[in-house]
Amino acid sequence: MSLRLRLGLLGALAVALPAGVSAADEPPAAAPTASQRLRYTLEDIEIRGNGRTAARVILRHVPFHAGDVLDVGDPEIELARYRLLGTGFFSSVSMSLRRGGRRGAAVLVIEVTERNTLVVQNLWFGIAADEDTAGNAKPLSGFLGLEAAETNLAGTGIALGAGIAVAAQQLALRAHVEDPAFAGTTWSGLFSVVYADARDFFGSRAVIWESPQLGAAQASDYAIVAYQRYGGTLGTGHALGLFSQLGLDYHLEQIDAIVPTAASHLRGDTREPIDFAIHPGKSLLSTLRASLTYDSRDLPFLPRRGTLASAAITAGVPPLGSDYGYARVELSGQRWWELPWKHVLHASAFVGGIAGSAPFFEKFYIGDFTDLIPDRVLDLTPDRRQPPNLLGTSIIEERFGDFAAKIDLEYRVPIFTGKRAIYGIDAFVSGGLWGVAAARDLTSPPSGYTGLRRIPVDLTYNVGVRLDTALGGATIAFSNLLGLIPAGTTVQH
Amino acid sequence: MRPLGPLVLALALGGAAREGVARADPAPPSTPAALPVRVAQLALEKGVVKLTVGYRDVVDAEIARKLESGLPTVVTMRGYLFREAGGDPIALTARTCRIVYDLWDEVFRIELAQPGGASTAVAVNVEGVLRNCAEARKLPLVDGALLAAGARYFVATLVEVNPVSQEMLDRIKRWVTRPSGASAIGPGDSLFGSFVGLFVARIGDADRKLAFRTQAFLPPAPAP
């Protein structure tokens, strides 16, 4: 067992350590004395090297103004340097003082080196699969998604981004503009637009469906809903403290859906009509969303300690024109622990529920909970497979649900730590229990299941490596391969 | 292993305040014996083993430029005493030097904290700063009575310039991970989160570091 001796507390500057006791100490503090506490009257702030970035964008992160009395030991000076680096606009920031025009005055000089601010935020690619009711694989199809943003548009500090996702007969587009300090306030402003020309797949087994607009009567393993979505979001965010963030969004979109005129499938042992959870033809979705996030992670991509928790409520509001009235509540929590031997343990939990009639793409999708099926790419669901059903439960009947929960544990082993192009490579293995259920499952569970098999839950697992690099974070996971289904690699930047 | 007398030997009370405590790399080196060797002088004075060693090379051109920035520069040094036969460190000494260039008086104002207490000094040039802050002269290391006769020891030394305290490091990382006003666009794709991820992993815990060990030595005999 090791003990930590803190010199500052002991007041000792040299210590002898007993055998078997390891030292983990701090050097004595050279606290500034009165004579060392140099203070100047700040005459001006001079910015150098900002070819593109407006000076006001830089000064937004500097809590000093001409006329202030500047204590050279004020930690805000160093924090301001890191704040500027944290914008991502600069590859280096240095601060210094030079003499002012009269004795006791000084000019704060901020020298920046600008960097490329066009960044790839997300990149997905993989292979979506299908299988028949006997579990035989059907032809595969690829999918690709990309999100990129210019985070310092014309040097204004405003971000402009766009995304595209392409899958078999599906397309999704997104664009957004965000000002982290909207109108000079501490609130951010966000405007985004979405477009999707997509399709989704419904039905468990022995699906029979008819859709004159999509062709003649079909007998396949799934019924298809083709739909278009176009709309936009206005949002804002505000930091409530060092760790907490409030987000508020209003979203409005129009949906144009082609829904089968008739469709049924075997739900358990009983043939039942399929509920597509969307209005045929044109409909309007109008939602308000509020979220509260607590984030004390030490790093965003490969955290070693800290907590990330969030609570969000989304409501479809008919008085604001929505054809879908519902409320969705989501609660999630994640925590990371660094173990004494430097490995990392990560636990996460999620629970969510929907009351009312939400469109299917607002419901909980199985791919977002199991690692063995690709998750959504810009809201597209390219994969048509049913859940793997490792526990043999009624989860096989689910695709979109009104209730969802998941608990998951991940164990990470750092295998490389660097300071240059690659900052860290961690191997990981994870496993969890998840469940998705429709509201109807509570009142009328699918027939043919008895005992615990009526509970729609399943296991998930994953193994792979996570890389934190100069180009972004990437996860290379092998869950689909482990699931004996050919699949690709998902990379997130 | 033989029991040691007092677990903690306070050689001096420096009166150092907690403010500004630097702690960038608090653990002793994991492979101290493998560090490059630098010759040091060990002497026994009044029953205390004292260390004299230089580390002027920690101040390179970049650090020298920072010294003249008008903002504080801190140089810390830790010396861990190890038995050459191996095992955990058995003693530790440390010193910290804080340097600020006075723009109007054109001198370097130096605050030094080390065993023996805190002191201040003024240097008129970088050479004076190096003399005060990049050389340990007769730095108390350990009570001579705690060293076994005939056993060989060495000192592993870590020198850092502008070490960032863990508290400050956490504060910085939290701040830049979620700057004021940044809102998330969607789950997992926070505009800043993805980008800041490129940056926070590169936050160093010091501007410059130097690690070396001394030659192995026997417990020094008292001066005649």
Side-chain angles (χ1 to χ4, degrees), chain A residues 14 16-17 23 28 103 188 245 423, chain B residues 7 9 28 90 96 105 181-182 195 202:
Chain A
L17 306 175
R103 185 168 181 86
S188 65
Q245 174 94 5
Y423 306 132
Chain B
L7 295 185
L9 173 65
I90 56 174
T96 296
D105 289 345
F195 192 72
R202 287 190 291 177

Side-chain angles (χ1 to χ4, degrees), chain A residues 350-385:
Chain A
F350 172 89
V351 62
I354 296 173
S357 55
F360 68 84
F361 50 77
E362 286 286 288
K363 296 192 175 198
F364 301 109
Y365 170 60
I366 55 164
D368 293 338
F369 295 91
T370 175
D371 296 306
L372 304 173
I373 289 179
D375 53 4
R376 287 189 259 206
V377 180
L378 298 185
D379 279 352
L380 300 185
T381 55
D383 204 285
R384 299 175 295 276
R385 277 176 293 171

Side-chain angles (χ1 to χ4, degrees), chain A residues 4-33 35-38 40 61 72-73 75-79 81-83 85-89 94-106 108 115-117 119 121-122 147 149 151 159 174 176 178-180 186-188 190 236-239 242-245 249 289 293 295-300 305 308 418-420 423 468-473 492-493, chain B residues 1-2 4 6-23 25-28 65-66 68-72 74 76-78 80 83 88-106 109-117 120-121 140-143 146 160 164 166 168-205 207:
Chain A
R4 288 187 168 228
L5 303 178
R6 302 182 76 86
L7 288 177
L9 296 175
L10 295 170
L13 298 180
V15 294
L17 306 175
V21 174
S22 68
D25 301 85
E26 298 161 351
T33 62
S35 65
Q36 295 289 95
R37 281 199 174 280
L38 288 173
Y40 302 106
H61 301 274
V72 299
E76 282 294 329
I77 299 173
E78 189 67 356
L79 268 179
R81 189 171 82 87
Y82 282 109
R83 283 173 190 154
L85 283 167
T87 62
F89 304 161
S94 67
M95 292 195 173
S96 61
L97 295 170
R98 67 170 173 81
R99 273 189 188 187
R102 57 186 167 78
R103 185 168 181 86
L108 177 63
R115 57 167 294 164
N116 169 45
T117 48
V119 296
Q121 293 181 299
N122 285 293
E147 275 191 306
T151 60
R174 277 189 191 175
H176 70 263
E178 179 177 26
D179 186 349
T186 57
W187 290 77
S188 65
L190 168 72
T236 186
H238 182 66
L242 196 58
F243 305 121
S244 303
Q245 174 94 5
D249 294 318
R289 175 182 167 88
T293 305
D295 187 353
S296 66
R297 292 172 297 171
D298 61 336
L299 290 169
R305 58 182 181 274
L308 175 61
K419 289 282 184 187
R420 293 183 179 276
Y423 306 132
D468 194 3
T469 75
L471 297 176
Q492 186 170 34
H493 284 266
Chain B
M1 295 181 185
R2 73 185 180 93
L4 299 175
L7 295 185
V8 176
L9 173 65
L11 289 177
L13 297 176
R18 292 288 297 162
E19 180 189 349
V21 166
R23 195 193 71 146
D25 193 356
R65 193 182 61 80
K66 281 195 173 186
E68 295 175 338
S69 71
L71 298 173
V74 176
T76 67
M77 174 270 198
R78 298 179 190 82
Y80 297 88
R83 294 184 185 86
D88 290 334
I90 56 174
L92 164 68
T93 189
R95 71 196 300 263
T96 296
C97 202
R98 181 178 185 271
I99 310 118
V100 184
Y101 182 67
D102 188 323
L103 299 175
W104 285 97
D105 289 345
E106 296 185 330
R109 302 197 179 279
I110 297 169
E111 175 85 5
L112 182 64
Q114 65 175 14
T120 59
L141 178 63
V142 67
D143 185 344
L146 297 178
E160 292 171 310
V164 182
Q166 189 61 54
M168 175 67 105
L169 202 57
D170 287 346
R171 196 172 162 194
I172 290 165
K173 287 177 177 177
R174 286 165 188 158
W175 208 99
V176 299
T177 302
R178 192 162 293 283
S180 175
S183 71
I185 293 167
D189 57 3
S190 159
L191 178 66
F192 275 84
S194 60
F195 192 72
V196 166
L198 310 185
F199 159 70
V200 290
R202 287 190 291 177
I203 297 176
D205 49 13
D207 283 348

Side-chain angles (χ1 to χ4, degrees), chain A residues 11-186:
Chain A
L13 298 180
V15 294
L17 306 175
V21 174
S22 68
D25 301 85
E26 298 161 351
T33 62
S35 65
Q36 295 289 95
R37 281 199 174 280
L38 288 173
R39 291 185 174 90
Y40 302 106
T41 300
L42 191 59
E43 190 173 279
D44 195 9
I45 299 175
E46 185 177 306
I47 296 169
R48 299 175 183 168
N50 58 322
R52 289 188 299 122
T53 308
R56 62 177 171 78
V57 174
I58 295 173
L59 292 174
R60 187 187 293 165
H61 301 274
V62 180
F64 307 110
H65 306 89
D68 289 351
V69 174
L70 184 71
D71 183 334
V72 299
D74 189 341
E76 282 294 329
I77 299 173
E78 189 67 356
L79 268 179
R81 189 171 82 87
Y82 282 109
R83 283 173 190 154
L84 288 169
L85 283 167
T87 62
F89 304 161
F90 313 109
S91 58
S92 74
V93 176
S94 67
M95 292 195 173
S96 61
L97 295 170
R98 67 170 173 81
R99 273 189 188 187
R102 57 186 167 78
R103 185 168 181 86
V107 174
L108 177 63
V109 180
I110 302 172
E111 190 157 2
V112 298
T113 305
E114 292 176 320
R115 57 167 294 164
N116 169 45
T117 48
L118 179 63
V119 296
V120 175
Q121 293 181 299
N122 285 293
L123 172 66
W124 303 265
F125 57 93
I127 298 172
D130 187 18
E131 61 191 8
D132 64 18
T133 53
N136 300 313
K138 287 191 157 188
L140 306 174
S141 61
F143 64 88
L144 177 69
L146 173 70
E147 275 191 306
E150 167 55 58
T151 60
N152 187 16
L153 185 65
T156 60
I158 293 173
L160 176 66
I164 182 170
V166 182
Q169 296 182 285
Q170 299 193 71
L171 170 70
L173 301 171
R174 277 189 191 175
H176 70 263
V177 59
E178 179 177 26
D179 186 349
F182 183 67
T185 68
T186 57

